[in-house]
Amino acid sequence: MSAPSPATPLLTTPLNALHIELGAKMVPFAGYSMPVQYPAGLMAEHNHTRSAAGLFDVSHMGQLRLVGADAAAAFETLMPVDVIGLGVGKQRYGLLLNDEGGIIDDLMFFNRGKDIFVIVNGACKVGDIAHIIERIGHRCEVIPMPERGLLALQGPQAAAVLSRLVPGVEKLVFMTGGEFQWKNADLFITRSGYTGEDGFEISVHESRAEEFARALLAQAEVKPIGLGARNSLRLEAGLCLYGNDIDNGTTPPEAALNWAIQKVRRTGGERAGGFPGAARILAQIDQPDTLARKRVGLIAKERIPVREPAELQNAEGQNIGRITSGLLSPTLNQPVALAYVQTAYAKPGTEILAIVRGKQVPMVVSATPFVPTNYFRG
């Protein structure tokens, strides 16, 4: 990667000194200097998260609060999801849309009763916050929280580890959360993540983030994990990366994200439509044959890694789509990918060809996740 120009110095997270101390290879990501891997390397970090517990610094992400009696109804005008009906103590996946129905960003939101707590992607947070303020700032308070760090502890040992430091977190189930304390530091913890494993995301004040991270790393099961393994883990789980697999030119139905649009917001629902691009999106849900392209999972039949933005062709050599994320799955030891293909080729089991350095690599459309998820549902 080219060095940043002096005019745009990289931001750092509250754990920057710790990453350097741990020997991380730092790279520019979303305007921040971030650890892509530690000395153990991507493969070891990936496998450790799948077998024990991995600690991720995701403090580059945006945290904000929406406050006021009208906050849920206001936020619902920006997304095709059920915000009003989300119970206190619960989290949900959301999609900010532009007026054409394209995805501005994907996010997580949580009903804390006193407010709606929102986590958005790091690369999008400045634009997201401006968009939310512009659209609904007159209906509720929009309060960015740049003073908060964010850690993710992921893997089958995550609950055992975190409950040692923060008793009570083990009672949470997937997509729930609450307020906790550790040595007088206020923590907001959800049982969720971006790896397909059981795990937690922990919001902590920047002044206590390093101390808390060190306490977690002192546990025998925990190792630090960089962005490289974060990417391979999320891809095995079939989860989208904003900017690769979804963007402002992609609608939720094209992105195979209809599961994120609850019935209450669909045609015939109690609060159908009323979000940006609703006519287009609801038509695509109601008449899936009108979709020109769709996001699919692909598994290669040969052990040749297929990376974005590789072209996809049919047997006749015609272009039918492209890879948006691809790598050799450390868990499966097979190349996996997410891609957009013409709808006629989107059925599981369909064989298509990826073009890698001029060579055809046969791939098969596959259901995702590629690796079964281990979310704790109680």
Side-chain angles (χ1 to χ4, degrees):
M1 294 198 180
S2 60
S5 69
T8 55
L10 290 172
L11 300 168
T12 56
T13 76
L15 302 188
N16 189 61
L18 178 58
H19 297 314
I20 292 164
E21 180 187 316
L22 293 169
K25 180 187 176 190
M26 305 297 285
V27 300
F29 182 81
Y32 283 76
S33 177
M34 295 289 287
V36 69
Q37 64 178 58
Y38 297 87
L42 186 154
M43 196 73 78
E45 293 172 29
H46 179 109
N47 292 333
H48 185 83
T49 307
R50 290 265 182 258
S51 61
L55 181 65
F56 302 75
D57 179 11
V58 285
S59 302
H60 65 296
M61 296 183 79
Q63 301 177 62
L64 55 145
R65 302 166 55 212
L66 307 179
V67 184
D70 203 25
F75 201 32
E76 201 170 90
T77 66
L78 305 184
M79 305 195 294
V81 303
D82 179 4
V83 183
I84 290 169
L86 182 65
V88 175
K90 295 195 169 159
Q91 187 176 44
R92 184 163 278 165
Y93 179 72
L95 299 161
L96 277 184
L97 301 177
N98 62 29
D99 292 330
E100 291 72 51
I103 301 169
I104 295 172
D105 199 8
D106 62 341
L107 55 80
M108 286 288 192
F109 65 100
F110 190 102
N111 181 358
R112 300 203 292 194
K114 62 183 179 183
D115 61 18
I116 297 172
F117 173 63
V118 185
I119 299 177
V120 299
N121 284 305
C124 305
K125 66 183 177 184
V126 174
D128 287 356
I129 291 167
H131 173 79
I132 293 167
I133 290 170
E134 181 200 342
R135 294 287 176 106
I136 63 169
H138 61 289
R139 293 181 61 180
C140 62
E141 276 188 279
V142 181
I143 306 170
M145 303 161 72
E147 73 285 356
R148 305 289 293 181
L150 193 65
L151 310 180
L153 185 70
Q154 300 282 301
Q157 309 276 316
V161 168
L162 190 57
S163 62
R164 247 176 252 152
L165 273 62
V166 187
V169 293
E170 71 282 355
K171 296 188 180 80
L172 298 175
V173 295
F174 183 56
M175 298 293 269
T176 70
E179 294 182 75
F180 295 87
Q181 284 225 322
W182 176 77
K183 295 189 176 178
N184 295 321
D186 293 325
L187 308 177
F188 186 73
I189 300 177
T190 61
R191 196 159 193 168
S192 57
Y194 192 49
T195 62
E197 294 297 329
D198 183 23
F200 301 85
E201 293 187 331
I202 304 137
S203 174
V204 54
H205 193 275
E206 61 188 357
S207 64
R208 304 298 299 277
E210 184 183 321
E211 186 189 353
F212 188 65
R214 287 183 186 275
L216 288 169
L217 289 167
Q219 310 300 309
E221 304 92 331
V222 182
K223 286 192 163 69
I225 313 295
L227 290 174
R230 184 172 184 248
N231 185 52
S232 55
L233 290 158
R234 71 90 195 167
L235 184 49
E236 287 186 346
L239 300 171
C240 291
L241 173 63
Y242 191 84
N244 281 47
D245 311 304
I246 48 176
D247 58 32
N248 58 19
T250 316
T251 66
E254 288 175 329
L257 295 174
N258 288 3
W259 60 265
I261 304 177
Q262 288 75 32
K263 279 185 181 168
V264 71
R265 304 303 306 277
R266 296 190 189 196
T267 304
E270 193 183 324
R271 297 190 307 283
F275 53 85
R280 182 183 182 197
I281 289 169
L282 294 178
Q284 290 178 342
I285 293 174
D286 296 340
Q287 299 154 343
D289 299 350
T290 62
L291 279 179
R293 60 177 191 145
K294 195 168 181 192
R295 181 177 65 88
V296 297
L298 295 171
I299 299 180
K301 296 177 82 170
E302 298 172 13
R303 203 175 172 279
I304 299 169
V306 181
R307 306 188 192 283
E308 66 276 5
E311 182 188 342
L312 297 170
Q313 295 181 352
N314 61 15
E316 289 70 50
Q318 296 163 316
N319 181 313
I320 57 160
R322 71 177 182 91
I323 302 285
T324 54
S325 289
L327 45 73
L328 185 70
S329 158
T331 304
L332 302 177
N333 196 26
Q334 272 180 301
V336 298
L338 297 178
Y340 281 82
V341 297
Q342 291 173 15
T343 316
Y345 299 90
K347 198 173 169 215
T350 306
E351 191 167 311
I352 55 183
L353 301 164
I355 309 304
V356 179
R357 290 186 291 278
K359 182 183 184 300
Q360 292 183 331
V361 178
M363 301 190 85
V364 177
V365 176
S366 164
T368 57
F370 301 108
V371 173
T373 56
N374 291 309
Y375 304 131
F376 179 74
R377 299 181 191 273

